Amino acid sequence: MRGLLAATLILPAFVFAAITPESVTGMKLSASDWKYISQKVASGQQDWLSVVPSLATRVSKQQADQLEEALATALPVNTKQVLSVLREIDHRKNSKPGGTDIVCVLKVVKSDNSADEYYADTRLALLDEPDGARCLWNLERVWEEAKQYQNKTK
């Protein structure tokens, strides 16, 4: 009986503590909150992507790195929305995450099979997106540089 009463009293606190895109910009965020937000952004969910520009001005260096990684992961998934977010970040003077020049190339500088797959998927997605020219140009430029470097070190 006491267990049921305790669960009834504690459960609402967990339900109301859930992070939503609407609540995230006004909250003090913990490390686990950032992990959750990064996962949602990386999945390409439009509601989570839309809050990134407002978060971009108040993040630490580590959180900015997490947002960059999440945006790069979301790029081939929800290309149009990620490019929109990157344009907003590019135009804000005090945004800490990098914009188009960083996010579009972040995952192709790795020298493993995941970079090959990411390049192929992202390139195709950007070719279908009229606003993706700058990102595509950066992606292809860095991809070629990375391949040339890999060939020299073999």
Side-chain angles (χ1 to χ4, degrees):
M1 181 71 167
R2 272 192 259 167
L4 180 61
L5 179 60
T8 304
L9 295 174
I10 294 172
L11 188 59
F14 289 115
V15 171
F16 292 115
I19 299 172
T20 65
E22 296 78 25
S23 67
V24 75
T25 56
M27 294 175 61
K28 179 166 174 53
L29 301 167
S30 68
S32 64
D33 294 336
W34 273 105
K35 183 176 180 183
Y36 180 79
I37 292 166
S38 294
Q39 290 170 343
K40 293 298 186 179
V41 170
S43 72
Q45 294 179 22
Q46 188 164 341
D47 53 345
W48 284 98
L49 287 168
S50 67
V51 299
V52 170
S54 60
L55 293 173
T57 59
R58 64 182 193 107
V59 296
S60 69
K61 173 64 175 133
Q62 180 182 8
Q63 293 163 337
D65 291 345
Q66 290 171 329
L67 281 178
E68 289 171 359
E69 183 73 26
L71 287 168
T73 301
L75 184 58
V77 176
N78 190 346
T79 308
K80 185 176 190 75
Q81 184 69 27
V82 172
L83 290 172
S84 176
V85 169
L86 292 176
R87 278 191 302 278
E88 281 191 60
I89 289 172
D90 288 341
H91 288 100
R92 290 187 179 198
K93 292 181 182 178
N94 56 348
S95 287
K96 292 176 186 146
T100 303
D101 295 338
I102 301 296
V103 171
C104 293
V105 302
L106 190 62
K107 291 189 171 267
V108 296
V109 294
K110 299 174 183 171
S111 59
D112 60 14
N113 290 340
S114 68
D116 295 342
E117 185 177 331
Y118 180 82
Y119 170 76
D121 293 345
T122 304
R123 183 178 181 279
L124 287 175
L126 289 168
L127 285 170
D128 287 338
E129 181 53 50
D131 294 330
R134 178 178 169 196
C135 188
L136 179 61
W137 184 84
N138 284 330
L139 178 75
E140 297 218 346
R141 177 183 53 82
V142 170
W143 177 253
E144 287 302 318
E145 289 174 7
K147 287 297 172 191
Q148 287 175 6
Y149 178 77
Q150 287 174 8
N151 289 337
K152 285 181 184 177
T153 59
K154 285 184 179 179

